[in-house]
Amino acid sequence: MSSFDLIVRGGSVATAVDVMRADIAVKDGKIAALGSNLGDAARIVDATGRIVTPGGVDSHCHIEQLSAMGVVNADTFETGTASAALGGTTTVIPFVAQHKGLDLATVAKDYHALAAKGAIIDYALHLIVTDPTDVLLTEQLPELVKAGHGSIKIFMTYDAMKVDDEQVLDILLKARELGALVCAHAENHGMIKWMVQRLLERGYTAPKYHAVSHPRGSEAEAFNRLITMSELIDQPVMIFHVSTEEGAATINAARARGVKVWAETCPQYLFLTAQDLDKPGTEGAKWCCSPPPRQARDIEALWAALERGDLQTITSDHAPFSYDEKGKLSAGPNPNFKQIPNGMPGLQARLPLLFDAMVSKGRMEITDFVRLTATAPAQIYNIADRKGSIAIGKDADLAIWDTEKEVTFTDETMADATGYTPYVGMTVKGWPTTVVRRGDVIVDDGKLTGTAGTGQFLPRTGGKAAAPTGKIAPEFDPALNFGAKLI
Ligand code: URP
Ligand code: ZN
Ligand code: ZN
């Protein structure tokens, strides 16, 4: 009988700190040994000449979710996680999305059922809170956080989803008490609403005006307001999808003064610009996401912020809507830009785009690639005991990269249910041809072999990233004899 279930042999193993020549032996879904001459296994995967990285962790993606515009994402958990796996990702963190008036506990049950039925890869779930009632804050949130949903997402814009500043403070304070991490879509709602109205009144309705309707400053303003509120409560925050140079600078300034703020960006802000929305007719709808892609100078500023460490993760913000009446054109064949559901697919393209830019083209090191796409998100969202690295005892989640394989993105080659890719026509070098999840080969020579319903839920607390920083914010210091009761 073989001593191991699987050995991945002959590859260069990359972690967030190192690259080494090592075979990887797997037993019962876990990495059991690293080294050479590891003996025999029921299955051998030859990784000679390949780079082996941890399977990607995509900590921000929308799957089978009811969106802010009331349209459900194109992907089910099956199609979404299939596309993720085919792009080298083995863990996702999508959302339990409460809409106003809905019971969060019931919504959580519904999303769990969908994920359990469809997921091919492992998943944790963020809780989207849009309606922070007393019952939600005092009864449901404590129970749901205890049950393993260690992060809460808030929206500071979108009419259907937004919470106001007082509600942000309530949620931050509750998260602090529960040890949960608060993640935010932070844009200034008033500025966007005002711009939308003026543009539409003047007849500027084409998809490209979506980018104009989200002024650059709406991002930095909301970041600053959120960070200021997080300082008041002394509760860390994770800022989602940073898109502008000014936004990145705001985060840099906050971190420089010691505020615990984490932040991510996404491929759409590193590889696309607002000019991509400028297409004939309504086609630009495919590139409408919020915040919108920006300018070339923002792309450079975001890479610099990644290099500085001000942005710690790169997620897909996969938010797929088909280009038809069920998705982008749900308001009719000629929607104005405000009627177009926001979001674009990216679960499959995220890692190949980044591998090409960072590793094949040499913008950063392979260790940076691993850290930004797997190790750091696993640490920040507190699943690093199992995910995000290649080490003995961790889940055997691996992506095996053919570093020479070139792929040109076409709408047809993507496996998600969107029907198009915003990266159409781009060619990348480097592709994860074999993908392993908990020791099972779920992508074999570029073909999906994993099956629906085999993904596991990863319960987690907010972890270190969410814990209070130790100091009590002065506003709440009992010695100052005011504010203390708020805690
Ligand atoms: O346009 C986007 N990003 N849509 C998805 C929802 C969100 O904002 O996270
Ligand atoms: Zn968002
Ligand atoms: Zn999102």
Side-chain angles (χ1 to χ4, degrees), residues 81-97:
T81 58
S83 74
L86 285 160
T89 288
T90 50
T91 301
V92 281
I93 316 187
F95 298 89
V96 164

Side-chain angles (χ1 to χ4, degrees), residues 294-357:
R294 305 287 185 176
Q295 306 299 332
R297 73 176 164 103
D298 297 295
I299 292 179
E300 288 313 309
L302 293 173
W303 281 112
L306 288 163
E307 273 158 27
R308 278 197 309 269
D310 287 333
L311 309 177
Q312 298 77 38
T313 70
I314 307 175
T315 67
S316 68
D317 192 8
H318 179 83
F321 298 102
S322 52
Y323 184 58
D324 59 20
E325 70 290 347
K326 292 201 193 96
K328 292 282 185 183
L329 307 180
S330 54
N334 285 306
N336 69 49
F337 68 84
K338 191 57 187 165
Q339 296 170 315
I340 298 168
N342 286 190
M344 54 174 67
L347 268 170
Q348 188 174 357
R350 177 184 74 123
L351 292 182
L353 282 166
L354 293 168
F355 189 95
D356 174 65

Side-chain angles (χ1 to χ4, degrees), residues 150-459:
S151 47
I152 299 160
K153 182 189 179 181
I154 55 170
F155 285 90
M156 294 169 76
T157 186
Y158 288 127
D159 283 321
M161 311 296 272
K162 78 177 278 289
V163 285
D164 61 26
D165 289 353
E166 292 89 331
Q167 291 172 320
V168 173
L169 290 165
D170 283 342
I171 292 167
L172 284 167
L173 188 61
K174 183 52 70 176
R176 185 176 197 269
E177 185 187 310
L178 300 175
L181 175 65
V182 175
C183 311
H185 177 130
E187 291 184 283
N188 180 303
H189 185 66
M191 285 167 83
I192 295 167
K193 209 166 169 174
W194 189 84
M195 286 293 288
V196 167
Q197 196 182 331
R198 287 177 75 82
L199 286 162
L200 293 180
E201 277 168 5
R202 285 159 179 73
Y204 298 113
T205 58
K208 66 182 174 184
Y209 295 108
H210 170 71
V212 183
S213 75
H214 287 243
R216 334 174 33 88
S218 66
E219 178 167 279
E221 187 286 325
F223 288 6
N224 193 47
R225 189 156 32 97
L226 174 69
I227 290 166
T228 307
M229 290 190 276
S230 99
E231 283 182 275
L232 172 65
I233 307 295
D234 194 16
Q235 165 66 20
V237 283
M238 157 60 79
I239 299 184
F240 275 173
H241 44 50
V242 179
S243 69
T244 59
E245 182 176 6
E246 297 87 333
T250 304
I251 290 161
N252 173 268
R255 290 174 64 82
R257 61 175 194 274
V259 184
K260 261 199 180 175
V261 46
W262 280 266
E264 59 162 45
T265 190
C266 315
Q268 48 271 43
Y269 309 114
L270 296 170
F271 301 105
L272 302 175
T273 68
Q275 276 66 44
D276 285 299
L277 280 75
D278 189 5
K279 298 276 190 308
T282 52
E283 214 200 332
K286 296 175 183 173
W287 284 264
C288 283
C289 63
S290 291
R294 305 287 185 176
Q295 306 299 332
R297 73 176 164 103
D298 297 295
I299 292 179
E300 288 313 309
L302 293 173
W303 281 112
L306 288 163
E307 273 158 27
R308 278 197 309 269
D310 287 333
L311 309 177
Q312 298 77 38
T313 70
I314 307 175
T315 67
S316 68
D317 192 8
H318 179 83
F321 298 102
S322 52
Y323 184 58
D324 59 20
E325 70 290 347
K326 292 201 193 96
K328 292 282 185 183
L329 307 180
S330 54
N334 285 306
N336 69 49
F337 68 84
K338 191 57 187 165
Q339 296 170 315
I340 298 168
N342 286 190
M344 54 174 67
L347 268 170
Q348 188 174 357
R350 177 184 74 123
L351 292 182
L353 282 166
L354 293 168
F355 189 95
D356 174 65
M358 297 171 80
V359 184
S360 304
K361 297 202 173 80
R363 212 183 231 276
M364 289 172 89
E365 302 293 328
I366 178 89
T367 47
D368 298 318
F369 168 79
V370 172
R371 174 173 47 79
L372 289 160
T373 60
T375 313
Q379 288 169 340
I380 290 171
Y381 294 100
N382 207 27
I383 48 175
D385 55 334
R386 290 180 56 179
K387 304 296 185 186
S389 194
I390 297 177
I392 291 170
K394 304 247 188 207
D395 285 2
D397 291 352
L398 308 167
I400 302 171
W401 292 81
D402 179 344
T403 55
E404 296 304 314
K405 189 176 166 78
E406 294 197 10
V407 174
T408 300
F409 289 116
T410 66
D411 292 346
E412 292 72 34
T413 50
M414 307 311 283
D416 59 67
T418 321
Y420 62 85
T421 170
Y423 306 103
V424 63
M426 290 187 196
T427 298
V428 293
K429 189 170 175 202
W431 197 262
T433 46
T434 304
V435 179
V436 176
R437 184 228 52 204
R438 279 183 282 109
D440 288 333
V441 176
I442 58 168
V443 175
D444 194 1
D445 197 18
K447 308 257 172 344
L448 186 75
T449 49
T451 51
T454 57
Q456 285 182 357
F457 175 58
L458 302 165

